[in-house]
């Protein structure tokens, strides 16, 4: 590829191109609106728009009638600018390709035992999956992982569910896909779930609580993931919720983690040997069975889910005090059980002096982290539109 | 004042002026450095710098020798651009004026019983204090208050220590000083303490824990106060730290608030009737006496302070998990006791899977919120340098 047309990402012109492209991410705009949103002189717009159109990233979008003259609209194009989202979970690998507007182009998933496969072979499999869905070179890649991510270094520091430590996911994936390392981002699944919910319009100061084999959390403030100093922000698994509870792996007693991980809830919901504990059902199957039991009035299952709600409510009352989100989204398997969790959580929060955040189950369900990864992958182009070459005339 | 020279704050030119002025806030820069930091073409700089110099906001700062040609430096001037910081505490009102570089120009404080005085008379007193320290019209004002602030509405929602509710501080103060309402910002004392510590260079992902008649907290991420959806973020007083502890006003048991407010610590440190409880000593006097006792080996006082440290450590372990700060600053009266608090807090955090934040006592002490308010007050000019008129030639 010719590099001559690729501008310095820090140049004022690139910053203006990026500003225009970002403004269009929420939908079509007139030139007057664009100039105002971007703080760019209207006289500079034609040149910028011609540049972006030459790269295939924007196009005319018809005319909007108004009070005065009808105004010509501009919208994102970018059907050939692909964002690649990848996800590693304990029992599955997934790949999704979207276009610049976030529309799904292709997707594929594979059931594997990631811990048994090990890091290098898992990366091989995931790259193989990616190549099968990608129609061309992606503008950016983001990988969702269930663990603590040092986002500055793009390294997965610790993922107990995968039995990985200090895994250099970005570098490994970039090498396999023939991309520069900076083209691949890595982030925690709950962070990406939070981003997806915020992009979906659920809230702008948002806390995403993720239920699975572990309990995780992600924060978005003003559209941006808050990662903290090392990238570990959002951890809520060790908030004390039950002084008389189980001993936690951290050494304390009654951490949220001990009450809210899926296995613990299933143990509370049914006796040993019950089909609810059958690993062959997979996570989705066991959660569906639990839902069915609660719906049919199984008292033990209903009590287990109610107690989960109370534990989540106690932990969330601290989270709400510290972060003051406008909304808490229940993600992962908590989303499936939302009908029975929201009420006990609300009761706990209502008793707090400050607790007035909305509590909503995720509408994106288990797919939220992958949606967030697609958004993050596209970010790279929105930050520097010159990554896509102008078409030669 | 002529308004003709006051540019539209959203105009590209104003944005560039603001960008240049902000870049200089950290110290003198060469033109090449300025152009790079601001993403502005070097050819546009002379015009922008002439404009800012005409407003008295920047000036030449000599020459720096380098490898190649020596480079001419530019620095903030703004000795006549005043930021006014005001603070309301239960027992005192304070006013500080700084110049654009944050240097103190004048200060004054007054001991009053704010709750007894009531809101309108307190605002009168504070405005009176402000007029006595102000050498001219301030570019911005910020008021520090001990309570929950709806920062968007600039309203103090609840301040139990002052017995105020829904107090429209910004409007009341602006009217008294003859300023537009938007010239006056209001914020929580712990938020402003956090901002002051971040500006002071203590950390960029920073949690500030403030001890006083209540326990408060403030968060700064990437140089900006995180306020949450309603402005209430940072509240940590109701984190459970002792299941067998006292009943809290919130209805639960063993909240941090019940263990860490100054009165509770003093009660634990000395029998009733002890001089440690003498209100005539003021907060500062009682804390100084407590310090002296611990230093002299008073076992009861030492145990009380150690137990305070353990309670803070338990609460901070949750805060560190949720926010992942690089540093936790102990502010308010906790700063005074830092020598004995840091160690038990570190022990609690060291036991956590993720807890590796630094713990430091505030070097700014009780003055931190006022320092933060001065910084916030100046923000208004840094966002729109055209608020200061160009000198007529």
């Amino acid at each position: 590829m010719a590099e001559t047309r690729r501008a310095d990402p820090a140049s004022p012109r690139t910053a203006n191109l990026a500003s225009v492209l970002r403004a269009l991410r929420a939908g079509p705009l007139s030139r007057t609106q664009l100039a105002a949103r971007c703080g760019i002189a209207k006289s500079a717009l034609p040149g910028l728009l011609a540049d972006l159109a030459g790269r295939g990233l924007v196009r005319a979008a018809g005319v909007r009638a108004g009070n005065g003259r009808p105004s010509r609209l501009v919208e994102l194009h970018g059907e050939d600018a692909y964002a690649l989202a990848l996800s590693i979970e304990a029992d599955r690998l997934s790949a999704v390709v979207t276009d610049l507007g976030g529309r799904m182009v292709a997707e594929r998933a594979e059931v594997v035992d990631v811990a048994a496969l090990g890091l290098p072979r898992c990366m091989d499999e995931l790259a193989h999956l990616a190549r099968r869905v990608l129609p061309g070179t992606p503008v950016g890649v983001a990988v969702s992982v269930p663990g603590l991510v040092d986002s500055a270094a793009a390294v997965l520091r610790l993922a107990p569910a995968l039995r990985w430590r200090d895994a250099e996911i970005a570098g490994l994936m970039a090498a396999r896909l023939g991309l520069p390392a900076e083209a691949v981002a890595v982030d925690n699944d709950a962070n990406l779930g939070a981003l997806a919910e915020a992009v979906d319009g659920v809230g702008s100061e948002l806390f995403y609580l993720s239920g699975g084999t572990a309990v995780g959390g992600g924060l978005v403030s003003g559209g941006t993931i808050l990662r903290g100093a090392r990238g570990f922000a959002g951890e809520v698994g060790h908030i004390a919720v039950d002084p008389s509870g189980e001993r936690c792996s951290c050494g304390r007693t009654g951490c949220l983690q001990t009450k809210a991980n899926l296995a613990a809830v299933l143990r509370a919901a049914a006796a040993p040997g019950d089909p609810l504990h059958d690993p062959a059902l997979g996570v989705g199957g066991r959660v569906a069975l639990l839902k069915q039991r609660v719906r049919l009035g199984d008292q033990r299952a209903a009590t287990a889910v109610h107690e989960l709600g109370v534990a989540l409510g106690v932990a969330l009352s601290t989270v709400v005090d510290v972060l003051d989100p406008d909304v808490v989204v229940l993600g992962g398997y908590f989303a499936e059980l939302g009908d029975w969790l929201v009420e006990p959580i609300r009761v706990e929060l209502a008793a707090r002096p400050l607790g007035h955040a909305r509590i909503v189950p995720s509408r994106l369900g288990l797919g939220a982290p992958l949606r967030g990864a697609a958004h993050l992958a596209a970010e790279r182009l929105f930050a520097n539109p010159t990554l896509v070459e102008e078409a030669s005339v």
Side-chain angles (χ1 to χ4, degrees), chain A:
Chain A
M1 290 193 294
E3 292 286 321
T4 45
R5 289 283 195 168
R6 192 168 294 182
D8 169 14
S11 86
R13 183 173 175 84
T14 305
N16 285 340
L17 291 171
S19 174
V20 169
L21 204 62
R22 272 180 199 286
L24 294 172
R25 204 166 186 181
L29 292 174
S30 73
R31 279 152 199 250
T32 310
Q33 290 171 318
L34 257 182
R37 297 243 177 127
C38 302
I40 289 174
K42 218 182 153 188
S43 59
L45 265 186
L48 296 169
L49 290 173
D51 182 324
L52 291 171
R55 297 177 198 276
L57 299 176
V58 304
R59 65 177 172 192
V63 165
R64 181 187 289 154
N67 290 330
R69 289 196 304 175
S71 50
R72 287 186 298 155
L73 298 178
V74 184
E75 68 176 6
L76 281 190
H77 188 200
E79 283 174 356
D80 302 329
Y82 306 113
L84 173 63
L86 302 172
S87 150
I88 305 173
E89 295 166 81
D91 60 354
R92 86 175 40 221
L93 301 174
S94 319
V96 162
V97 175
T98 68
D99 68 13
L100 209 53
R103 283 169 294 267
M104 174 95 67
V105 173
E107 66 176 324
R108 198 173 267 272
E110 204 171 282
V111 173
V112 294
D113 181 341
V114 169
L117 206 58
L119 180 61
R121 283 192 50 210
C122 172
M123 289 291 121
D124 289 342
E125 277 300 313
L126 194 55
H128 182 64
L129 211 58
R131 279 189 292 265
R132 289 174 67 187
V133 289
L134 269 175
T137 304
V139 296
V141 182
V143 190
S144 167
V145 289
L148 295 172
V149 175
D150 178 339
S151 48
V155 170
L156 171 60
R157 287 289 169 218
L158 183 65
L162 314 180
R163 286 185 239 135
W164 293 353
R165 250 181 200 281
D166 297 322
E168 300 190 346
I169 306 284
L172 295 170
M173 185 50 61
R176 280 161 177 79
L177 295 177
L179 296 170
E182 70 273 14
V184 184
V186 188
D187 215 327
N188 170 269
D189 52 1
N191 283 353
L192 293 171
L195 181 62
E197 300 288 343
V199 169
D200 202 39
V202 177
S204 61
E205 299 289 320
L206 182 150
F207 185 77
Y208 178 86
L209 184 68
S210 157
T213 51
V215 178
L219 340 168
V220 166
S221 174
T224 307
I225 299 172
L226 286 184
R227 294 190 171 85
R230 294 163 303 165
F232 299 173
E235 291 301 318
V236 294
H238 299 285
I239 295 180
V241 296
D242 180 7
S244 59
E246 266 179 62
R247 185 96 173 166
C248 179
S249 61
C250 78
R252 289 223 185 113
T253 296
C255 292
L256 177 64
Q257 177 64 45
T258 63
K259 304 275 282 193
N261 75 77
L262 180 58
V265 173
L266 295 174
R267 274 197 307 275
D274 188 284
L276 210 49
H277 306 302
D278 183 0
L281 287 178
V283 169
R286 277 176 283 174
V287 173
L289 186 54
L290 176 60
K291 251 177 102 162
Q292 194 186 40
R293 295 222 180 143
V294 178
R295 215 182 279 287
L296 294 175
D298 178 325
Q299 200 50 51
R300 181 167 175 172
T303 303
V305 171
H306 179 82
E307 281 179 1
L308 169 63
V310 173
L312 295 178
V314 173
L316 285 173
S317 67
T318 291
V319 171
V320 166
D321 275 6
V322 173
L323 297 173
D324 187 24
D326 56 356
V327 61
V328 173
V329 181
L330 304 177
Y333 89 88
F334 300 149
E336 293 294 311
L337 301 174
D339 284 354
W340 302 285
L341 294 177
V342 168
E343 204 41 43
I345 292 172
R346 280 200 187 129
V347 168
E348 282 299 320
L349 287 184
R352 316 300 299 160
L354 308 175
H356 298 290
R358 282 182 300 129
I359 311 292
V360 299
S362 168
R363 290 184 309 182
L364 305 174
L366 297 171
L370 214 42
R371 287 276 286 268
H375 191 85
L376 186 64
E379 267 301 315
R380 185 165 174 259
L381 183 69
F382 282 96
N384 182 6
T386 66
L387 286 173
V388 172
E389 312 285 313
E390 287 187 74
S392 41
V393 192

